[in-house]
Amino acid sequence: MERKVKQVTTRTLAEMKARGEPIAMLTGYDHTFARLLEEAGIDVILVGDSASNVIAGHETTLPITLDQMIYHASAVVRAVKRAMVVVDMPFGSYQGDSRAALKGAIRIMKESGAHAVKLEGGRPILSTVRRLVEAGIPVMGHLGLTPQAIYQFGGYRVRAQEEAEAQRLYEDALSLAEAGIFALVLEKIPAALAQRVTQALSIPTIGIGAGPHCDGQVLVLYDMLGLNKAFSPRFLRRYADLHGIVVEACSRYIRDVKERTFPSMEESY
Ligand code: KIV
C-alpha cells in the first residue's frame, strides 16, 4: 500500500518556526526540476517571477505576465506531493486595485493548483493583502530588495542600511503580519535587521541575503546550481557547477555526432 505523503502547509511552517526547525525554500519553474526538488525534500518551492530573468532572459522581473506565471506554476504543481508551492504575483497584477489583485490571485490558485501567492511591498499593499487573506488565499510577503521596484531603487545594493529605511521595513513587517501573511521573505538587508524582524514576528521569515537568523532560507535554483557564471553576489553559495557539467556534456555529444561515433549499432534499431 502506498504511504500518504504529509503535505507542507502554512501550519507546518508555523510549527517549524515554533520548534526552531529551519525552512528550506528554492525557486522552481518547470516540472523536471520540481520533481528533483521534491525528491531532495524541499519544504517550499517558490515559482518566482525570477523566471522572467532565468527562463525568459529579461533584464528584470517586470515583463513576466500572469498567464506565464500560471503556466510555470502548473508545471511545478504537477510534480509535487509534499512541498508547498508559492507563486509570485507578477508586477502590475496587484499594485493597483485590490479587486483586480484578488481576481489574479484566484486565477493562480484555480488554474495552477498552487497553495499560496507572494506579493512584494509593505503598507501600500495592506488592503490587498487583507482582501486576499479574507478570501482564503494564503499570502507570503516580501520586503527589502524587492526586485519589482528595481527602477525605483536604481540598483541591486543592500537595502535598509540607514535607520529610517530599516525602521520603515520593521513597521511594514509588523503590519503585514497583522494583515494575515503566513510568512515573509526578507531580501538583501543587514543580518541584524533580519534578526530583529524575525524575533518580533510569530510567522516565519525566509531570507535571501539576509543573514543566518531568519527562520528559513531561499535561493534562486539556477544560481545555486551554478548555471549562471556571471551572477556572483556575496550571499550566493553555489552547490554545484552545472554550467561546467552541461557545457562539457553538450560538447562531448557534438563531438560524437561530428565524428559519427554516436549513435552506435547498440543504440540503433
Ligand atoms: O522571484 C524570486 O526568485 C524571488 C526570490 C528571490 C525570493 O522572489
Side-chain angles (χ1 to χ4, degrees):
M1 203 175 73
E2 206 185 311
R3 271 259 228 56
K4 199 148 172 12
V5 181
K6 196 155 182 261
Q7 258 199 319
V8 176
T9 64
T10 55
R11 193 155 140 192
T12 318
L13 301 184
E15 288 166 358
M16 288 170 83
K17 169 151 183 151
R19 63 171 180 268
E21 179 184 342
I23 297 162
M25 177 160 103
L26 282 169
T27 64
Y29 317 100
D30 70 275
H31 188 81
T32 301
F33 268 120
R35 256 188 7 227
L36 299 176
L37 292 177
E38 173 85 356
E39 196 180 321
I42 200 76
D43 298 314
V44 185
I45 300 179
L46 171 65
V47 183
D49 57 359
S50 49
S52 180
N53 310 103
V54 299
I55 303 294
H58 292 295
E59 271 292 307
T60 72
T61 59
L62 275 64
I64 201 160
T65 66
L66 190 62
D67 284 338
Q68 288 165 341
M69 290 305 298
I70 291 170
Y71 170 79
H72 288 295
S74 309
V76 168
V77 167
R78 284 193 288 272
V80 304
K81 287 199 166 68
R82 178 185 171 272
M84 179 179 200
V85 179
V86 182
V87 182
D88 261 332
M89 292 198 67
F91 177 67
S93 68
Y94 63 94
Q95 287 90 348
D97 102 70
S98 63
R99 258 185 74 176
L102 178 60
K103 233 172 116 184
I106 288 174
R107 275 200 63 204
I108 290 175
M109 305 291 285
K110 261 177 123 71
E111 295 177 32
S112 75
H115 311 122
V117 296
K118 176 162 83 57
L119 273 62
E120 295 182 7
R123 280 163 286 184
I125 61 155
L126 270 196
S127 58
T128 296
V129 170
R130 283 201 192 95
R131 193 159 192 161
L132 267 54
V133 172
E134 277 162 16
I137 299 172
V139 177
M140 180 179 274
H142 186 162
L143 293 172
L145 178 61
T146 45
Q148 291 178 12
I150 197 61
Y151 289 123
Q152 192 173 59
F153 295 150
Y156 288 92
R157 72 183 183 86
V158 180
R159 301 304 311 176
Q161 297 191 88
E162 295 84 30
E163 184 48 36
E165 190 180 337
Q167 187 56 26
R168 200 160 25 170
L169 187 148
Y170 180 78
E171 287 167 16
D172 278 343
L174 296 185
S175 302
L176 285 167
E178 201 266 325
I181 61 166
F182 70 92
L184 177 63
V185 169
L186 295 171
E187 180 162 353
K188 220 168 174 187
I189 62 169
L193 175 60
Q195 182 175 28
R196 186 172 159 229
V197 172
T198 300
Q199 284 170 350
L201 299 183
S202 59
I203 55 158
T205 59
I206 301 182
I208 172 164
H213 308 296
C214 295
D215 299 301
Q217 297 292 330
V218 57
L219 285 174
V220 169
L221 180 67
Y222 284 28
D223 296 338
M224 62 82 79
L225 290 177
L227 277 162
N228 181 4
K229 278 214 307 201
F231 184 63
S232 253
R234 187 204 293 201
F235 68 77
L236 175 62
R237 186 180 294 180
R238 288 204 177 88
Y239 285 83
D241 171 25
L242 284 203
H243 174 273
I245 290 172
V246 172
V247 171
E248 208 262 331
C250 294
S251 307
R252 283 199 292 120
Y253 165 76
I254 293 165
R255 190 199 58 210
D256 289 355
V257 170
K258 302 279 180 194
E259 292 177 354
R260 297 187 186 280
T261 58
F262 175 80
S264 65
M265 282 320 287
E266 288 73 38
E267 289 160 324
S268 306
Y269 297 96

